Amino acid sequence: MLAARRGRSGWDWTDWASHFYLLLGVALMFGPVLWLFVSSVKTQAALDTFPPTFLPWEQKQATLPGHAGALPVFQIMAGDRAGQSLVQIRRIGLEAQLASPDDPAKIARVPISQLRPELRLHASWSNYTDLLRKFDFGLYFLNSVFITVVATVLTLLVNSMAAFALSKYRFKGREPVFLVMLATLTIPPTIVLVPNYLIASALGLTNSLWGVIFPAVATPTGVFMLRQYMLTLPDEILEAARMDNASEWRIYWRIVLPLSAPALAVLAIFSVMWRWNDFLWPMVVLSRSDVFTLPIALFSFQGDLQTQWQYLLAMTACTLLPVTLIFVFLQRYVTQGVASVGVK
Amino acid sequence: MGAGFHRPAALGTLIARALGLLYGAVMGLPERPMRAAQARMRGGRLGWLFVAPNLLVFGVFTFLPIVIDFWYALTGGAQLLPQDRPYVGAENFRSLLACANYLDPTSCERDLFWYGVWNTLKFVAIQVTLMIVFSLLTALVLNRRIVGRGFYRAAFFYPVLLSPVVVALIWKWILQRNGILNATIQGAGGNGVNWLVDADWAFFWSIFVSIWAHMGFYTLILLAGLQAIPADIYEAAEMDAASPWRRFRRLTLPLLTPSLVVVFILGMIRAVQIFDEVYVLTGGGPGTATVYLVQFIYQTGFAAGVRQYGLAAAGSLLLAAALLLFTLLQLRGLKRGAP
């Protein structure tokens, strides 16, 4: 029932059950994110509506000569004006005063039970543009991009150098070094939170983007992954290069690194994910808002903006967009990378 | 050169070429000093030179901190600098462990710590079990010959890529009082629930959301394990007319054990450290219903009015000891279980 079925054809009930399970899973995995995106282009009024509609419907608005601002448009459902759509000027008790933009002087009085708001589909992209105007969203975004890019480049460089030495050189202490690095896999960063904060502040790295970048540059995962890959490169190539009088450094960056490109790509994707999503350590090191990364800014705003979900949702959508793009274009590499290395 | 003007290269090629030049320029810089070092050092020492940057970062941000952790745990006060902190011996540990009744956190000197301990234990037991069950089920289904398998596999993995803050806010938006979940329930004639204000439901959702966010990762590991099982084993079993359930129990499960062990250990190490998404989702509340150990460490060390680094460090050392013990026990059980 559960094991792989091979070599038979035709659909039996287990195929139906599998597809049902998988479709349910897809709905559960993508649905919440889709709901977030759809919600993020709704106006505040549409977000406050209960029960919510799936698409961003909102009440049509119009201006009337002689009246300030935009006024709501209603459709009249019953009575002698049924079918007309008019602009509401004011409401008095259970009666509304409405008028047509063509003839604003002629005021109709209609009981509100006969009114239905006239809706239109409207994506409120201003939620997104407001992020740039009202918050330092661009700054947080750049901070996150800077940390992600610089940290990933440094991680690839530092880890590949170590992996090169650990896979291609024989030297005293090679095994202990490798074992010690592996052992740090079991030390969760949360355990060294307090002392790392001391070290960061002693080095003047608090409230600095470098304070987020440096501590996690030497990932044991990366060293391990790259070392395993470099072990598969034949030593003869290196020997041939040495015959040609190439320096060891040149062998490293001209031969070994390009040949390790597939493993480096997987590590790069991981590193981008780790850094873009990092939360606890940046929250400890960064306390000034001008150095906030996107997740930290999101977290600090979610307390203040509970009444302004439209901005919170738009900001969340922007934060998940880059990883979503990576996922769409590189998902094959990501999933294969995880499967082959078993790390995240 | 001239040909390039007549037929402009595609943008991608141009970018690739520019990056190649940049790579050459930057990586060529250490060429001379490294060559000089190479001339002076004999074979083996050069290895150390390549490992040095990695070891330096490791040393400063992993090994040194472990040593300092002990110093913090043995000193008191709210000072950050180690030399300003008075030595208090085991006082921090005593304070954390002082309890009239360990089952009742209110009787403890540090009640938040014990709420954290019990919540974490409960969380680990339930979350790891459920996550393995669902990951295994999903991996088994994905291992069948199914149209669109790649798409399904990717779909289950997608939430793994999301930031914990994003995960928490997505679910907060769904679970809020006037959220879509309550709208659906009320539309179906039920009564809405204030999900994150009710202690039991908040605990449930902290488990649900963490499984939602992480199960894709474990599914992939198990799927890779399943695909490594040779097909002819199953064909032989099918010829013997073994029932599907029997095939699963006698073939799949034993052959999958190595992957299951990896999933179990990784899943548990991560579950013990649960913090990010739950902290954003519930803030540990309502009350102390979803306070976990790492939140205790973060709050005592960094979010409280008086930062008690000593208590936080002592708490993290206890956490580290528990993790070590767990892992050793598992490995021992594994050795005994192995044929």
Side-chain angles (χ1 to χ4, degrees):
Chain A
M1 171 182 73
L2 290 163
R5 234 165 29 88
R6 283 159 214 269
R8 275 192 276 160
S9 55
W11 278 52
D12 63 15
W13 71 270
T14 57
D15 292 295
W16 292 105
S18 302
H19 274 275
F20 178 74
Y21 177 84
L22 291 176
L23 286 175
L24 197 74
V26 169
L28 197 62
M29 296 295 155
F30 285 145
V33 180
L34 187 64
W35 178 237
L36 174 92
F37 270 113
V38 175
S39 303
S40 73
V41 292
K42 290 180 178 175
T43 56
Q44 188 166 14
L47 290 176
D48 288 340
T49 320
F50 186 84
T53 53
F54 182 72
L55 291 172
W57 291 101
E58 69 162 17
Q59 185 164 15
K60 220 165 144 181
Q61 295 192 317
T63 50
L64 268 188
H67 296 277
L71 299 167
V73 179
F74 283 91
Q75 246 183 346
I76 296 163
M77 304 308 293
D80 49 347
R81 287 193 191 78
Q84 288 183 14
S85 88
L86 295 175
V87 183
Q88 177 183 277
I89 299 164
R90 63 178 73 83
R91 229 181 89 182
I92 302 162
L94 293 173
E95 198 180 71
Q97 297 181 357
L98 306 105
S100 154
D102 308 328
D103 189 7
K106 195 176 139 205
I107 291 176
R109 291 163 206 280
V110 181
I112 58 167
S113 58
Q114 293 179 1
L115 294 179
R116 203 181 63 186
E118 188 163 320
L119 299 175
R120 59 163 183 167
L121 266 183
H122 171 68
S124 165
W125 295 110
S126 62
N127 293 350
Y128 285 85
T129 49
D130 278 0
L131 288 184
L132 294 170
R133 283 196 300 113
K134 295 191 178 174
F135 310 96
D136 289 330
F137 184 77
L139 181 67
Y140 308 138
F141 191 83
L142 285 180
N143 285 344
S144 266
V145 169
F146 180 81
I147 288 178
T148 306
V149 170
V150 174
T152 299
V153 169
L154 284 179
T155 304
L156 290 181
L157 183 71
V158 169
N159 289 4
S160 65
M161 281 173 71
F164 172 57
L166 292 174
S167 63
K168 292 296 170 206
Y169 287 129
R170 287 174 198 290
F171 58 97
K172 235 186 185 174
R174 184 178 82 163
E175 298 309 312
V177 166
F178 184 58
L179 283 179
V180 164
M181 282 185 187
L182 274 192
T184 55
L185 263 177
T186 58
I187 301 169
T190 41
I191 283 168
V192 287
L193 206 57
V194 177
N196 260 348
Y197 179 70
L198 165 76
I199 292 172
S201 56
L203 296 175
L205 292 175
T206 48
N207 280 321
S208 144
L209 299 180
W210 295 101
V212 179
I213 292 173
F214 280 132
V217 154
T219 64
T221 320
V223 175
F224 179 69
M225 214 167 89
L226 294 175
R227 174 189 175 265
Q228 298 306 94
Y229 194 86
M230 288 178 185
L231 280 176
T232 64
L233 303 177
D235 287 342
E236 287 77 29
I237 308 178
L238 275 65
E239 288 308 326
R242 286 192 185 113
M243 292 292 207
D244 290 346
N245 201 23
S247 73
E248 293 298 313
W249 177 255
R250 196 171 195 82
I251 290 176
Y252 158 72
W253 73 273
R254 274 298 189 205
I255 298 175
V256 174
L257 273 193
L259 286 177
S260 310
L264 288 169
V266 173
L267 180 61
I269 293 172
F270 279 134
S271 170
V272 168
M273 268 161 48
W274 289 329
R275 297 314 191 124
W276 188 262
N277 297 336
D278 204 4
F279 179 61
L280 182 56
W281 177 244
M283 186 159 71
V284 166
V285 197
L286 308 175
S287 54
R288 254 190 7 234
S289 67
D290 61 317
V291 283
F292 275 0
T293 61
L294 273 183
I296 306 301
L298 252 186
F299 176 67
S300 75
F301 285 142
Q302 67 118 23
D304 310 335
L305 293 181
Q306 287 290 11
T307 49
Q308 289 176 299
W309 266 101
Q310 75 272 28
Y311 296 132
L312 209 50
L313 292 170
M315 222 185 267
T316 311
C318 286
T319 310
L320 67 75
L321 202 62
V323 275
T324 306
L325 288 180
I326 289 186
F327 173 72
V328 169
F329 291 111
L330 302 174
Q331 65 90 1
R332 188 171 293 266
Y333 298 97
V334 180
T335 47
Q336 279 172 3
V338 171
S340 60
V341 191
V343 289
K344 187 208 148 197
Chain B
M1 191 80 184
F5 282 108
H6 293 298
R7 259 183 295 141
L11 189 66
T13 337
L14 269 178
I15 292 176
R17 204 171 292 166
L19 284 177
L21 282 177
L22 185 71
Y23 175 76
V26 173
M27 297 298 274
L29 282 181
E31 186 76 43
R32 279 175 157 224
M34 287 296 279
R35 203 179 255 278
Q38 190 184 335
R40 278 196 211 118
M41 289 177 174
R42 248 170 286 137
R45 294 242 201 94
L46 209 60
W48 283 105
L49 205 61
F50 275 101
V51 186
N54 211 1
L55 278 187
L56 183 73
V57 181
F58 259 136
V60 174
F61 292 106
T62 304
F63 298 119
L64 187 60
I66 295 173
V67 179
I68 302 178
D69 227 358
F70 282 97
W71 178 249
Y72 271 110
L74 297 174
T75 54
Q79 303 292 330
L80 178 64
L81 293 179
Q83 61 268 29
D84 299 340
R85 300 175 56 83
Y87 180 79
V88 294
E91 166 61 23
N92 288 318
F93 291 100
R94 188 207 60 75
S95 168
L96 284 181
L97 298 174
C99 255
N101 172 9
Y102 284 103
L103 293 175
D104 174 19
T106 49
S107 73
C108 299
E109 194 172 313
R110 303 286 166 186
D111 54 343
L112 194 65
F113 178 72
W114 284 98
Y115 281 119
V117 168
W118 290 118
N119 284 341
T120 305
L121 281 177
K122 206 161 71 166
F123 179 89
V124 170
I126 301 174
Q127 196 252 12
V128 174
T129 313
L130 288 179
M131 189 148 76
I132 289 183
V133 168
F134 283 114
S135 309
L136 182 60
L137 185 64
T138 312
L140 286 168
V141 173
L142 283 175
N143 196 34
R144 298 166 59 98
R145 290 189 170 177
I146 265 177
V147 190
R149 191 164 78 171
F151 168 74
Y152 288 129
R153 189 182 60 183
F156 277 92
F157 188 73
Y158 175 58
V160 177
L161 300 173
L162 301 181
S163 154
V165 183
V166 167
V167 167
L169 286 176
I170 286 175
W171 283 98
K172 209 170 181 169
W173 176 237
I174 290 173
L175 296 173
Q176 58 142 342
R177 189 100 186 78
N178 291 329
I180 188 157
L181 184 63
N182 275 343
T184 314
I185 290 175
Q186 288 179 11
N191 280 325
V193 179
N194 216 344
W195 301 108
L196 298 176
V197 175
D198 180 274
D200 290 335
W201 278 116
F203 183 74
F204 167 83
W205 286 110
S206 77
I207 288 179
F208 180 93
V209 170
S210 73
I211 292 180
W212 182 84
H214 297 300
M215 74 169 271
F217 171 67
Y218 300 98
T219 304
L220 275 191
I221 297 183
L222 291 178
L223 185 61
L226 281 175
Q227 285 172 344
I229 301 176
D232 41 353
I233 294 186
Y234 287 107
E235 277 156 22
E238 228 161 292
M239 257 186 267
D240 292 346
S243 79
W245 173 245
R246 208 176 148 79
R247 245 183 296 157
F248 173 70
R249 278 286 309 277
R250 294 290 165 88
L251 279 180
T252 312
L253 217 47
L255 288 171
L256 198 61
T257 309
S259 305
L260 278 171
V261 170
V262 169
V263 166
F264 187 62
I265 293 185
L266 282 182
M268 220 194 51
I269 291 181
R270 286 243 220 108
V272 170
Q273 297 181 69
I274 181 72
F275 172 73
D276 301 2
E277 56 265 41
V278 176
Y279 185 62
V280 182
L281 186 70
T282 67
T288 54
T290 52
V291 171
Y292 298 111
L293 264 178
V294 172
Q295 189 185 339
F296 167 82
I297 295 170
Y298 171 72
Q299 277 200 338
T300 10
F302 298 98
V306 180
R307 295 181 161 199
Q308 293 170 298
Y309 298 113
L311 273 181
S316 40
L317 284 176
L318 288 177
L319 177 65
L323 269 178
L324 195 68
L325 196 72
F326 266 135
T327 315
L328 287 180
L329 279 179
Q330 277 167 355
L331 290 177
R332 228 180 121 180
L334 213 102
K335 263 185 197 152
R336 197 170 298 165

